[in-house]
Amino acid sequence: MDGLTYDEVGATAGVMPPGYHHVRDRRIIGHGRAAFEHAADALLAGEVQRRAGARVELSETPMRTGSRVTMRLGFGILSFRIPCLVVWAERTDTVAGFAYGTLPGHPERGEERFTLTLEPSDEVVFEIAAFSKPGRWFTRVGAPLGRWVQAWMTRRYLHAL
């Protein structure tokens, strides 16, 4: 995975690395196969990020390992370009999701994983896991604000499906 700004590729799938801020949250978003399939289609098309307020460009839809995702948040001179590379993507009968890692120019360094699971109970669970640390001068200076923005976006993502 050339070009990523961190070394711990795939760590959102298990034990996240020390030295980063960690996020792990989940929400039941529905029940049954139809809800899972509908949510999986939206997730792999970048709709979670769009519905959360980001402008999103995908190199391909649905996302797969190696896809490029470029998001923009904010307006005017306060607009941030957020380039990412999909480092994992999967869609089975009971799991759908992807993880993307940061590329040069991203305000942070790290990885974020979005996973849908159709549980044996028929619940559709949406989980987000991330590790990050400041990647640019302005995110180092504004680290407390960055953590607040990350928590706010995680809540928006969880309610976007």
Side-chain angles (χ1 to χ4, degrees):
M1 294 275 155
D2 290 340
L4 294 169
T5 60
Y6 66 104
D7 294 325
E8 302 87 348
V9 176
T12 51
V15 178
M16 291 195 273
Y20 291 86
H21 175 71
H22 297 168
V23 172
R24 194 175 295 278
D25 206 349
R26 64 193 321 239
R27 177 174 177 259
I28 297 169
I29 62 164
H31 294 82
R33 166 83 34 215
F36 172 79
E37 295 296 340
H38 180 71
D41 289 344
L43 178 64
L44 294 172
E47 288 303 313
V48 167
Q49 288 72 17
R50 283 187 188 96
R51 293 173 188 175
R55 294 179 301 284
V56 180
E57 294 177 27
L58 303 176
S59 64
E60 58 197 318
T61 304
M63 284 183 261
R64 63 185 178 93
T65 302
S67 296
R68 292 194 174 259
V69 179
T70 303
M71 295 174 285
R72 286 189 97 51
L73 280 176
F75 301 97
I77 62 168
L78 296 179
S79 178
F80 298 99
R81 184 174 169 271
I82 305 169
C84 300
L85 180 68
V86 176
V87 298
W88 165 81
E90 180 176 356
R91 184 161 186 176
T92 69
D93 288 340
T94 58
V95 174
F98 70 94
Y100 50 42
T102 57
L103 291 170
H106 194 294
E108 300 282 331
R109 289 178 43 214
E111 186 175 288
E112 192 163 26
R113 177 177 292 251
F114 303 85
T115 309
L116 283 170
T117 306
L118 178 58
E119 298 289 342
S121 65
D122 231 20
E123 292 178 330
V124 179
V125 178
F126 182 30
E127 182 174 6
I128 297 173
F131 61 88
S132 64
K133 60 180 153 185
R136 312 257 315 264
W137 70 267
F138 57 86
T139 50
R140 281 189 289 281
V141 170
L145 177 62
R147 296 293 162 243
W148 180 86
V149 168
Q150 185 177 37
W152 178 69
M153 286 303 292
T154 298
R155 285 190 304 277
R156 290 180 63 86
Y157 289 155
L158 283 171
H159 288 89
L161 288 179

